[in-house]
Amino acid sequence: MRITCVGGGPAGLYFAVLAKLADPAHEITVLERNPAGVTYGWGVVFWDDLLDDLYRYDPVSAERISRAACRWDSYEVRATGKAATHLAGYGFSLGRRELLEILAARALELGVDVRFRDEPAEVPAADLVVASDGAGSRIRERYAEHFGAEIEVGRNKYIWLGTPHVFDTFTFGFEQTAAGWIWYHAYPFDAETSTFIVECTPETWSGLGLDELDAARGCARLQEIFAAHLDGRPLIDHRAGTGGTGWLNYRRLTTRRWDHGNVVLMGDAAHTTHFAIGSGTKLAMQDAMALADALAGGDEPAVALERYEHRRKTALAPLQRAAKASSEWFERVPDYTHLPAKQFSYALANRRGEYPMWRYLLHVTTQSAGPRVALRWALSVRRWHRARRRPGLAAAPAVAGRAPEPARTGSGLAAG
């Protein structure tokens, strides 16, 4: 089968890897419009459920991703006038560029033709065309009436930035200004850099004059606001010097159909979820797994694509509901800021409204150092046992001429 993936993000590259592993005779091409090593965005986050899946489907790339990732084992919540509080939980973070380099290298090892600086003007000629070209997918728009994309625009303004200040763990920080509350979601993704997403209501955004500032001056203004959180380090916007600005409104994308003849949507081309639940990369790579499974089932392509769409829409539904609830909570942040520190951070943790009462009692108890250390230890043991069940490199197909990579600890955070 001749397969062309339009878009060399996590979805397109990982699907190319899995399809080639399933049948080395497949002729697979990945077309990426950016140059090699160039991507937009900073770090991505994921959790053990995705890592479990990655090890099941391709232990080689899973091991490389695991070794490159930072680990964090709690959330910290900071807010003006309140004591810092902590939320239980752990996860992984990895630079988007490093993730793409790992996946591209794996695809090339398996014989996938990965082409950079290549954006087709027309739908490529192939037995299967995978549209993995992002939320603004040109292929989806070419068949817009069939795919039936719907976009719901969020109210808040947000911007993705980076900083050389390396946060100890995933951190939410809320600052009160004369124009209202403004906050960030930050997490380390390598030894030198953290992602720093800033969000606020449109009233606060314009009240702070951010609607009139270019990227460089906007970063300078945000550095002033969050100075106490950045330890004197700058914020970075890659648009600085271009005259543009990276402020956006979140766009929730859903599509009525995911396939059309030999064309199928994947990742952000088919759906988006709010960044507050950090599942975009996870969902894109799980799309790739589901499509690879469907095509390996031996059915006619049309039947396989229908099975893929049904499986993924079923899996996505609860996450999309959670993401919607999460984004709406952040649109109402000013309604919660009067709460005492423990209640405020619990409202943040329970923004989907799903927790039983015992979770609140656990939250209050673990704000003390002793119980919090005990909980982190218990979660670390659980994480260690879960990792022990994953297949290692010994169970993976050998890669000719390539030795296993040395272990890394990312930013030096505890591996848990």
Side-chain angles (χ1 to χ4, degrees):
M1 178 183 287
R2 291 184 304 138
I3 301 172
T4 298
C5 299
V6 180
L13 286 170
Y14 195 59
F15 170 72
V17 167
L18 299 185
K20 198 69 172 176
L21 284 171
D23 187 346
H26 286 325
E27 298 178 18
I28 305 175
T29 303
V30 176
L31 306 179
E32 168 54 42
R33 65 174 177 262
N34 290 321
V38 174
T39 185
Y40 297 96
W42 297 89
V44 300
V45 297
F46 57 97
W47 288 268
D48 277 305
D49 59 342
L50 177 62
L51 199 56
D52 291 344
D53 288 342
L54 294 175
Y55 270 99
R56 280 195 293 270
Y57 279 83
D58 178 29
V60 173
S61 58
E63 183 71 9
R64 295 172 188 173
I65 290 169
S66 178
R67 290 179 178 182
C70 297
R71 277 109 166 129
W72 33 270
D73 59 2
S74 67
Y75 297 80
E76 184 173 337
V77 182
R78 309 171 184 175
T80 302
K82 306 180 194 296
T85 52
H86 304 270
L87 304 175
Y90 52 80
F92 303 86
S93 45
L94 178 63
R96 178 175 170 84
R97 176 177 175 176
E98 186 158 15
L99 174 61
L100 295 179
E101 288 175 347
I102 289 170
L103 295 177
R106 180 66 173 141
L108 289 168
E109 289 171 0
L110 294 170
V112 175
D113 182 8
V114 181
R115 304 178 187 176
F116 297 97
R117 297 180 182 271
D118 195 331
E119 184 174 20
E122 303 291 337
V123 177
D127 299 315
L128 178 67
V129 177
V130 180
S132 49
D133 50 344
S137 171
R138 292 188 178 184
I139 292 181
R140 186 193 67 234
E141 290 309 301
R142 184 179 181 88
Y143 305 110
E145 185 174 347
H146 174 84
F147 286 121
E150 296 182 0
I151 296 176
E152 180 181 341
V153 180
R155 186 171 187 274
N156 282 357
K157 307 295 292 189
Y158 75 97
I159 187 170
W160 286 75
L161 303 172
T163 177
H165 174 66
V166 180
F167 285 82
D168 291 334
T169 193
F170 197 112
T171 305
F172 294 99
F174 298 78
E175 281 290 328
Q176 186 174 24
T177 72
W181 286 85
I182 186 169
W183 55 93
Y184 66 83
H185 318 230
Y187 51 88
F189 64 82
D190 62 27
E192 301 174 346
T193 322
S194 298
T195 295
F196 197 92
I197 309 170
V198 180
E199 185 180 7
C200 62
T201 65
E203 293 81 9
T204 298
W205 180 67
S206 57
L208 292 172
L210 294 167
D211 56 334
E212 300 177 348
L213 301 178
D214 63 17
R217 292 186 299 158
C219 269
R221 183 76 181 96
L222 294 173
Q223 284 170 212
E224 294 174 4
I225 294 169
F226 295 116
H229 303 261
L230 292 168
D231 196 25
R233 309 308 297 275
L235 291 173
I236 303 167
D237 185 342
H238 287 318
R239 294 172 181 81
T242 67
T245 177
W247 286 100
L248 301 166
N249 289 78
Y250 170 67
R251 294 163 63 85
R252 179 177 180 266
L253 168 73
T254 57
T255 48
R256 184 176 62 247
R257 293 290 307 274
W258 287 23
D259 66 279
H260 181 47
N262 68 330
V263 177
V264 63
L265 305 180
M266 181 185 292
D268 284 352
H271 53 80
T272 59
T273 53
H274 193 265
F275 55 85
I277 68 167
S279 293
T281 299
K282 165 188 168 178
L283 296 178
M285 297 182 79
Q286 288 178 333
D287 284 356
M289 297 169 191
L291 182 57
D293 283 347
L295 294 174
D299 293 317
E300 291 296 319
V303 176
L305 297 184
E306 287 292 336
R307 179 183 294 112
Y308 155 71
E309 178 179 335
H310 176 74
R311 172 178 165 183
R312 291 306 295 149
K313 281 187 173 180
T314 301
L316 277 166
L319 275 170
Q320 288 176 326
R321 289 193 295 269
K324 184 175 176 62
S326 182
S327 63
E328 290 174 347
W329 188 92
F330 280 103
E331 291 177 354
R332 300 190 305 270
V333 160
D335 295 343
Y336 301 96
T337 52
H338 68 282
L339 295 172
K342 293 177 185 178
Q343 285 83 352
F344 175 72
S345 58
Y346 183 75
L348 169 64
N350 192 33
R351 58 191 180 272
R352 307 173 200 177
E354 301 170 345
Y355 286 172
M357 178 56 70
W358 67 263
R359 291 293 295 262
Y360 176 70
L361 299 176
L362 178 66
H363 171 71
V364 172
T365 301
T366 53
Q367 297 313 305
S368 299
R372 184 165 68 252
V373 169
L375 177 60
R376 290 173 69 178
W377 180 85
L379 291 175
S380 294
V381 171
R382 177 184 176 187
R383 192 178 203 179
W384 180 82
H385 279 291
R386 187 169 186 167
R388 294 276 293 178
R389 295 196 298 268
R390 298 178 186 131
L393 275 174
V399 180
R402 189 180 183 95
E405 299 173 3
R408 296 186 2 155
T409 58
S411 67
L413 300 177

